[in-house]
mmCIF file with all atom_site columns, all heavy atoms in Angstrom:
data_model
loop_
_atom_site.group_PDB
_atom_site.id
_atom_site.type_symbol
_atom_site.label_atom_id
_atom_site.label_alt_id
_atom_site.label_comp_id
_atom_site.label_asym_id
_atom_site.label_entity_id
_atom_site.label_seq_id
_atom_site.pdbx_PDB_ins_code
_atom_site.Cartn_x
_atom_site.Cartn_y
_atom_site.Cartn_z
_atom_site.occupancy
_atom_site.B_iso_or_equiv
_atom_site.pdbx_formal_charge
_atom_site.auth_seq_id
_atom_site.auth_comp_id
_atom_site.auth_asym_id
_atom_site.auth_atom_id
_atom_site.pdbx_PDB_model_num
ATOM 1   N N   . ALA A 1 16  ? -2.091  13.736 -8.836  1.00 0.00 ? 253 ALA A N   1
ATOM 2   C CA  . ALA A 1 16  ? -3.173  14.091 -7.867  1.00 0.00 ? 253 ALA A CA  1
ATOM 3   C C   . ALA A 1 16  ? -3.862  13.014 -7.235  1.00 0.00 ? 253 ALA A C   1
ATOM 4   O O   . ALA A 1 16  ? -4.343  13.110 -6.140  1.00 0.00 ? 253 ALA A O   1
ATOM 5   C CB  . ALA A 1 16  ? -4.124  14.998 -8.651  1.00 0.00 ? 253 ALA A CB  1
ATOM 6   N N   . LEU A 1 17  ? -3.808  11.793 -7.910  1.00 0.00 ? 254 LEU A N   1
ATOM 7   C CA  . LEU A 1 17  ? -4.503  10.658 -7.382  1.00 0.00 ? 254 LEU A CA  1
ATOM 8   C C   . LEU A 1 17  ? -3.808  10.113 -6.107  1.00 0.00 ? 254 LEU A C   1
ATOM 9   O O   . LEU A 1 17  ? -4.450  9.415  -5.300  1.00 0.00 ? 254 LEU A O   1
ATOM 10  C CB  . LEU A 1 17  ? -4.567  9.565  -8.394  1.00 0.00 ? 254 LEU A CB  1
ATOM 11  C CG  . LEU A 1 17  ? -5.333  9.789  -9.732  1.00 0.00 ? 254 LEU A CG  1
ATOM 12  C CD1 . LEU A 1 17  ? -5.252  8.627  -10.652 1.00 0.00 ? 254 LEU A CD1 1
ATOM 13  C CD2 . LEU A 1 17  ? -6.756  10.150 -9.360  1.00 0.00 ? 254 LEU A CD2 1
ATOM 14  N N   . GLY A 1 18  ? -2.559  10.531 -5.952  1.00 0.00 ? 255 GLY A N   1
ATOM 15  C CA  . GLY A 1 18  ? -1.880  10.091 -4.708  1.00 0.00 ? 255 GLY A CA  1
ATOM 16  C C   . GLY A 1 18  ? -2.531  10.640 -3.502  1.00 0.00 ? 255 GLY A C   1
ATOM 17  O O   . GLY A 1 18  ? -2.531  9.946  -2.419  1.00 0.00 ? 255 GLY A O   1
ATOM 18  N N   . GLY A 1 19  ? -3.144  11.777 -3.557  1.00 0.00 ? 256 GLY A N   1
ATOM 19  C CA  . GLY A 1 19  ? -3.878  12.351 -2.430  1.00 0.00 ? 256 GLY A CA  1
ATOM 20  C C   . GLY A 1 19  ? -5.137  11.543 -2.076  1.00 0.00 ? 256 GLY A C   1
ATOM 21  O O   . GLY A 1 19  ? -5.576  11.655 -0.939  1.00 0.00 ? 256 GLY A O   1
ATOM 22  N N   . LEU A 1 20  ? -5.669  10.876 -3.026  1.00 0.00 ? 257 LEU A N   1
ATOM 23  C CA  . LEU A 1 20  ? -6.930  10.177 -2.787  1.00 0.00 ? 257 LEU A CA  1
ATOM 24  C C   . LEU A 1 20  ? -6.646  8.846  -2.050  1.00 0.00 ? 257 LEU A C   1
ATOM 25  O O   . LEU A 1 20  ? -7.464  8.334  -1.349  1.00 0.00 ? 257 LEU A O   1
ATOM 26  C CB  . LEU A 1 20  ? -7.606  9.867  -4.116  1.00 0.00 ? 257 LEU A CB  1
ATOM 27  C CG  . LEU A 1 20  ? -8.345  10.969 -4.795  1.00 0.00 ? 257 LEU A CG  1
ATOM 28  C CD1 . LEU A 1 20  ? -8.959  10.490 -6.169  1.00 0.00 ? 257 LEU A CD1 1
ATOM 29  C CD2 . LEU A 1 20  ? -9.409  11.588 -3.889  1.00 0.00 ? 257 LEU A CD2 1
ATOM 30  N N   . LEU A 1 137 ? -17.382 13.060 -1.455  1.00 0.00 ? 374 LEU A N   1
ATOM 31  C CA  . LEU A 1 137 ? -16.940 14.112 -2.332  1.00 0.00 ? 374 LEU A CA  1
ATOM 32  C C   . LEU A 1 137 ? -17.026 15.498 -1.623  1.00 0.00 ? 374 LEU A C   1
ATOM 33  O O   . LEU A 1 137 ? -16.094 16.302 -1.834  1.00 0.00 ? 374 LEU A O   1
ATOM 34  C CB  . LEU A 1 137 ? -17.689 14.109 -3.622  1.00 0.00 ? 374 LEU A CB  1
ATOM 35  C CG  . LEU A 1 137 ? -17.445 12.882 -4.569  1.00 0.00 ? 374 LEU A CG  1
ATOM 36  C CD1 . LEU A 1 137 ? -18.206 13.061 -5.880  1.00 0.00 ? 374 LEU A CD1 1
ATOM 37  C CD2 . LEU A 1 137 ? -15.949 12.791 -4.840  1.00 0.00 ? 374 LEU A CD2 1
ATOM 38  N N   . LEU A 1 140 ? -14.376 15.878 0.905   1.00 0.00 ? 377 LEU A N   1
ATOM 39  C CA  . LEU A 1 140 ? -13.083 15.555 0.418   1.00 0.00 ? 377 LEU A CA  1
ATOM 40  C C   . LEU A 1 140 ? -11.967 16.573 0.768   1.00 0.00 ? 377 LEU A C   1
ATOM 41  O O   . LEU A 1 140 ? -10.895 16.212 1.057   1.00 0.00 ? 377 LEU A O   1
ATOM 42  C CB  . LEU A 1 140 ? -13.092 15.281 -1.031  1.00 0.00 ? 377 LEU A CB  1
ATOM 43  C CG  . LEU A 1 140 ? -11.812 14.690 -1.766  1.00 0.00 ? 377 LEU A CG  1
ATOM 44  C CD1 . LEU A 1 140 ? -11.433 13.315 -1.097  1.00 0.00 ? 377 LEU A CD1 1
ATOM 45  C CD2 . LEU A 1 140 ? -12.024 14.541 -3.260  1.00 0.00 ? 377 LEU A CD2 1
ATOM 46  N N   . PRO A 1 141 ? -12.264 17.871 0.755   1.00 0.00 ? 378 PRO A N   1
ATOM 47  C CA  . PRO A 1 141 ? -11.267 18.842 1.074   1.00 0.00 ? 378 PRO A CA  1
ATOM 48  C C   . PRO A 1 141 ? -10.667 18.587 2.495   1.00 0.00 ? 378 PRO A C   1
ATOM 49  O O   . PRO A 1 141 ? -9.516  18.650 2.738   1.00 0.00 ? 378 PRO A O   1
ATOM 50  C CB  . PRO A 1 141 ? -11.979 20.182 1.020   1.00 0.00 ? 378 PRO A CB  1
ATOM 51  C CG  . PRO A 1 141 ? -13.052 19.985 0.028   1.00 0.00 ? 378 PRO A CG  1
ATOM 52  C CD  . PRO A 1 141 ? -13.487 18.578 0.172   1.00 0.00 ? 378 PRO A CD  1
ATOM 53  N N   . LEU A 1 144 ? -8.716  15.199 2.530   1.00 0.00 ? 381 LEU A N   1
ATOM 54  C CA  . LEU A 1 144 ? -7.358  15.317 1.893   1.00 0.00 ? 381 LEU A CA  1
ATOM 55  C C   . LEU A 1 144 ? -6.402  15.976 2.846   1.00 0.00 ? 381 LEU A C   1
ATOM 56  O O   . LEU A 1 144 ? -5.288  15.541 3.011   1.00 0.00 ? 381 LEU A O   1
ATOM 57  C CB  . LEU A 1 144 ? -7.459  16.114 0.629   1.00 0.00 ? 381 LEU A CB  1
ATOM 58  C CG  . LEU A 1 144 ? -8.153  15.488 -0.570  1.00 0.00 ? 381 LEU A CG  1
ATOM 59  C CD1 . LEU A 1 144 ? -8.440  16.500 -1.673  1.00 0.00 ? 381 LEU A CD1 1
ATOM 60  C CD2 . LEU A 1 144 ? -7.246  14.290 -1.100  1.00 0.00 ? 381 LEU A CD2 1
ATOM 61  N N   . LEU A 1 225 ? -3.088  22.614 0.141   1.00 0.00 ? 462 LEU A N   1
ATOM 62  C CA  . LEU A 1 225 ? -2.796  21.331 -0.536  1.00 0.00 ? 462 LEU A CA  1
ATOM 63  C C   . LEU A 1 225 ? -1.819  21.594 -1.658  1.00 0.00 ? 462 LEU A C   1
ATOM 64  O O   . LEU A 1 225 ? -1.663  22.693 -2.215  1.00 0.00 ? 462 LEU A O   1
ATOM 65  C CB  . LEU A 1 225 ? -4.083  20.745 -1.102  1.00 0.00 ? 462 LEU A CB  1
ATOM 66  C CG  . LEU A 1 225 ? -5.074  20.247 -0.103  1.00 0.00 ? 462 LEU A CG  1
ATOM 67  C CD1 . LEU A 1 225 ? -6.351  19.946 -0.767  1.00 0.00 ? 462 LEU A CD1 1
ATOM 68  C CD2 . LEU A 1 225 ? -4.545  18.986 0.643   1.00 0.00 ? 462 LEU A CD2 1
ATOM 69  N N   . GLY A 1 228 ? -1.583  19.694 -7.493  1.00 0.00 ? 465 GLY A N   1
ATOM 70  C CA  . GLY A 1 228 ? -2.448  18.613 -8.072  1.00 0.00 ? 465 GLY A CA  1
ATOM 71  C C   . GLY A 1 228 ? -3.740  18.330 -7.225  1.00 0.00 ? 465 GLY A C   1
ATOM 72  O O   . GLY A 1 228 ? -4.764  18.085 -7.831  1.00 0.00 ? 465 GLY A O   1
ATOM 73  N N   . GLU A 1 229 ? -3.607  18.319 -5.934  1.00 0.00 ? 466 GLU A N   1
ATOM 74  C CA  . GLU A 1 229 ? -4.713  17.959 -5.090  1.00 0.00 ? 466 GLU A CA  1
ATOM 75  C C   . GLU A 1 229 ? -5.717  19.075 -4.953  1.00 0.00 ? 466 GLU A C   1
ATOM 76  O O   . GLU A 1 229 ? -6.841  18.912 -4.510  1.00 0.00 ? 466 GLU A O   1
ATOM 77  C CB  . GLU A 1 229 ? -4.196  17.542 -3.739  1.00 0.00 ? 466 GLU A CB  1
ATOM 78  C CG  . GLU A 1 229 ? -3.439  16.230 -3.750  1.00 0.00 ? 466 GLU A CG  1
ATOM 79  C CD  . GLU A 1 229 ? -2.883  15.888 -2.383  1.00 0.00 ? 466 GLU A CD  1
ATOM 80  O OE1 . GLU A 1 229 ? -3.474  16.211 -1.439  1.00 0.00 ? 466 GLU A OE1 1
ATOM 81  O OE2 . GLU A 1 229 ? -1.887  15.107 -2.386  1.00 0.00 ? 466 GLU A OE2 1
ATOM 82  N N   . ARG A 1 230 ? -5.323  20.331 -5.340  1.00 0.00 ? 467 ARG A N   1
ATOM 83  C CA  . ARG A 1 230 ? -6.308  21.442 -5.295  1.00 0.00 ? 467 ARG A CA  1
ATOM 84  C C   . ARG A 1 230 ? -7.487  21.184 -6.196  1.00 0.00 ? 467 ARG A C   1
ATOM 85  O O   . ARG A 1 230 ? -8.584  21.626 -5.862  1.00 0.00 ? 467 ARG A O   1
ATOM 86  C CB  . ARG A 1 230 ? -5.573  22.745 -5.625  1.00 0.00 ? 467 ARG A CB  1
ATOM 87  C CG  . ARG A 1 230 ? -4.620  23.163 -4.573  1.00 0.00 ? 467 ARG A CG  1
ATOM 88  C CD  . ARG A 1 230 ? -3.847  24.408 -4.960  1.00 0.00 ? 467 ARG A CD  1
ATOM 89  N NE  . ARG A 1 230 ? -2.886  24.834 -3.949  1.00 0.00 ? 467 ARG A NE  1
ATOM 90  C CZ  . ARG A 1 230 ? -1.983  25.730 -4.103  1.00 0.00 ? 467 ARG A CZ  1
ATOM 91  N NH1 . ARG A 1 230 ? -1.936  26.460 -5.216  1.00 0.00 ? 467 ARG A NH1 1
ATOM 92  N NH2 . ARG A 1 230 ? -1.092  26.013 -3.143  1.00 0.00 ? 467 ARG A NH2 1
ATOM 93  N N   . VAL A 1 231 ? -7.174  20.516 -7.321  1.00 0.00 ? 468 VAL A N   1
ATOM 94  C CA  . VAL A 1 231 ? -8.218  20.174 -8.287  1.00 0.00 ? 468 VAL A CA  1
ATOM 95  C C   . VAL A 1 231 ? -9.231  19.262 -7.620  1.00 0.00 ? 468 VAL A C   1
ATOM 96  O O   . VAL A 1 231 ? -10.439 19.426 -7.801  1.00 0.00 ? 468 VAL A O   1
ATOM 97  C CB  . VAL A 1 231 ? -7.674  19.487 -9.541  1.00 0.00 ? 468 VAL A CB  1
ATOM 98  C CG1 . VAL A 1 231 ? -8.738  19.107 -10.491 1.00 0.00 ? 468 VAL A CG1 1
ATOM 99  C CG2 . VAL A 1 231 ? -6.650  20.483 -10.217 1.00 0.00 ? 468 VAL A CG2 1
ATOM 100 N N   . LEU A 1 232 ? -8.738  18.356 -6.808  1.00 0.00 ? 469 LEU A N   1
ATOM 101 C CA  . LEU A 1 232 ? -9.688  17.394 -6.066  1.00 0.00 ? 469 LEU A CA  1
ATOM 102 C C   . LEU A 1 232 ? -10.505 18.126 -5.052  1.00 0.00 ? 469 LEU A C   1
ATOM 103 O O   . LEU A 1 232 ? -11.720 17.774 -4.897  1.00 0.00 ? 469 LEU A O   1
ATOM 104 C CB  . LEU A 1 232 ? -8.839  16.310 -5.455  1.00 0.00 ? 469 LEU A CB  1
ATOM 105 C CG  . LEU A 1 232 ? -7.952  15.454 -6.346  1.00 0.00 ? 469 LEU A CG  1
ATOM 106 C CD1 . LEU A 1 232 ? -7.150  14.445 -5.539  1.00 0.00 ? 469 LEU A CD1 1
ATOM 107 C CD2 . LEU A 1 232 ? -8.820  14.724 -7.368  1.00 0.00 ? 469 LEU A CD2 1
ATOM 108 N N   . ALA A 1 233 ? -9.980  19.103 -4.418  1.00 0.00 ? 470 ALA A N   1
ATOM 109 C CA  . ALA A 1 233 ? -10.707 19.900 -3.403  1.00 0.00 ? 470 ALA A CA  1
ATOM 110 C C   . ALA A 1 233 ? -11.861 20.634 -4.043  1.00 0.00 ? 470 ALA A C   1
ATOM 111 O O   . ALA A 1 233 ? -12.899 20.832 -3.430  1.00 0.00 ? 470 ALA A O   1
ATOM 112 C CB  . ALA A 1 233 ? -9.746  20.881 -2.693  1.00 0.00 ? 470 ALA A CB  1
ATOM 113 N N   . VAL A 1 234 ? -11.723 21.023 -5.267  1.00 0.00 ? 471 VAL A N   1
ATOM 114 C CA  . VAL A 1 234 ? -12.773 21.772 -5.943  1.00 0.00 ? 471 VAL A CA  1
ATOM 115 C C   . VAL A 1 234 ? -13.944 20.867 -6.254  1.00 0.00 ? 471 VAL A C   1
ATOM 116 O O   . VAL A 1 234 ? -15.119 21.333 -6.551  1.00 0.00 ? 471 VAL A O   1
ATOM 117 C CB  . VAL A 1 234 ? -12.227 22.355 -7.296  1.00 0.00 ? 471 VAL A CB  1
ATOM 118 C CG1 . VAL A 1 234 ? -13.259 23.038 -8.093  1.00 0.00 ? 471 VAL A CG1 1
ATOM 119 C CG2 . VAL A 1 234 ? -11.111 23.391 -7.027  1.00 0.00 ? 471 VAL A CG2 1
ATOM 120 N N   . ALA A 1 235 ? -13.769 19.579 -6.156  1.00 0.00 ? 472 ALA A N   1
ATOM 121 C CA  . ALA A 1 235 ? -14.871 18.553 -6.402  1.00 0.00 ? 472 ALA A CA  1
ATOM 122 C C   . ALA A 1 235 ? -16.052 18.848 -5.424  1.00 0.00 ? 472 ALA A C   1
ATOM 123 O O   . ALA A 1 235 ? -17.137 18.551 -5.811  1.00 0.00 ? 472 ALA A O   1
ATOM 124 C CB  . ALA A 1 235 ? -14.351 17.159 -6.238  1.00 0.00 ? 472 ALA A CB  1
ATOM 125 N N   . ALA A 1 236 ? -15.708 19.288 -4.230  1.00 0.00 ? 473 ALA A N   1
ATOM 126 C CA  . ALA A 1 236 ? -16.805 19.507 -3.259  1.00 0.00 ? 473 ALA A CA  1
ATOM 127 C C   . ALA A 1 236 ? -17.880 20.471 -3.675  1.00 0.00 ? 473 ALA A C   1
ATOM 128 O O   . ALA A 1 236 ? -19.041 20.160 -3.792  1.00 0.00 ? 473 ALA A O   1
ATOM 129 C CB  . ALA A 1 236 ? -16.200 19.874 -1.873  1.00 0.00 ? 473 ALA A CB  1
#
Side-chain angles (χ1 to χ4, degrees):
L254 297 178
L257 286 178
L374 290 182
L377 192 57
L381 288 170
L462 292 170
E466 293 178 25
R467 290 175 184 173
V468 177
L469 300 177
V471 176

